[in-house]
Amino acid sequence: MSTPPGPPPYGPPPGHGYPPPPPQPYSSESGQFPVPPKKSSALKWVLIAVVAVIALVVAAGVALYVFTQRDSTEASEVKSGDCLAEIPDSSRVLYVQTVPCDQPHKGEVFAVLPMPDGDFPGEAEVIKYTDKCAPALAEYSPATAEDSAIKLFVLYPTADSWQRGDRVVTCIATTESPRTGKLG
């Protein structure tokens, strides 16, 4: 018996199926996993540059803080006999720059007057308390108290600093021009 030409009635011959089978996941014709596409190295360099800039800014800020605060003292921590390189431009300061008195300076702390504990007495009472600075200067250095070139500058507690424990009035003898040595 002969078979007519053409496809057999039971389907295509083996190995020539239609449609082809779907590809297996994560496989290639060689049977290995495909290599993922490389990400752009430009993005990596941009991120490295951003991190480097941030690190430089932080380092510069820390260096500036250390350099400017090197001889600084909390305003509420200065003591009688400390000399100040500059006089603050207001009485609301956190830090002052202290220097040895044999170096040029514009102020010398001559009294630190503790105020009584309790609730903040009000600005008027605190300012009234600062009137004790003039007699304290006369006691510290009688000749200086008579010198018209010497002015008084006073640091005193505010309602805010009082809440943080500041209870001292700091009396400072100042001069227009820098001077060296202790008041005498």
Side-chain angles (χ1 to χ4, degrees), residues 31-182:
Q32 295 182 354
F33 292 98
V35 177
K38 286 190 175 184
K39 293 188 178 186
S40 168
S41 64
L43 178 62
K44 178 172 55 173
W45 287 110
V46 167
L47 290 174
I48 288 172
V50 168
V51 168
V53 167
I54 290 171
L56 283 173
V57 168
V58 168
V62 168
L64 182 63
Y65 176 79
V66 168
F67 179 74
T68 60
Q69 301 298 324
R70 179 177 42 165
D71 295 325
S72 293
T73 304
E74 279 191 52
S76 63
E77 297 294 320
V78 294
K79 57 191 176 310
S80 183
D82 285 351
C83 290
L84 309 180
E86 294 290 330
I87 301 304
D89 55 3
S90 85
S91 61
R92 292 179 180 242
V93 295
L94 294 176
Y95 292 93
V96 291
Q97 186 179 4
T98 57
V99 295
C101 292
D102 61 353
Q103 292 183 9
H105 59 275
K106 288 191 172 182
E108 182 176 333
V109 177
F110 62 87
V112 178
L113 309 171
M115 293 190 69
D117 279 335
D119 292 336
F120 182 67
E123 190 170 340
E125 284 299 312
V126 172
I127 291 173
K128 187 174 167 185
Y129 201 84
T130 66
D131 291 341
K132 296 181 178 194
C133 286
L137 179 59
E139 187 178 317
Y140 183 80
S141 174
T144 303
E146 301 297 323
D147 188 346
S148 63
I150 302 293
K151 305 292 182 214
L152 293 183
F153 183 81
V154 181
L155 297 174
Y156 54 86
T158 63
D160 290 336
S161 70
W162 191 274
Q163 290 177 344
R164 292 188 305 273
D166 182 12
R167 301 285 190 278
V168 296
V169 170
T170 305
C171 308
I172 304 166
T174 67
T175 56
E176 187 69 31
S177 300
R179 61 185 304 270
T180 56
K182 294 276 215 174

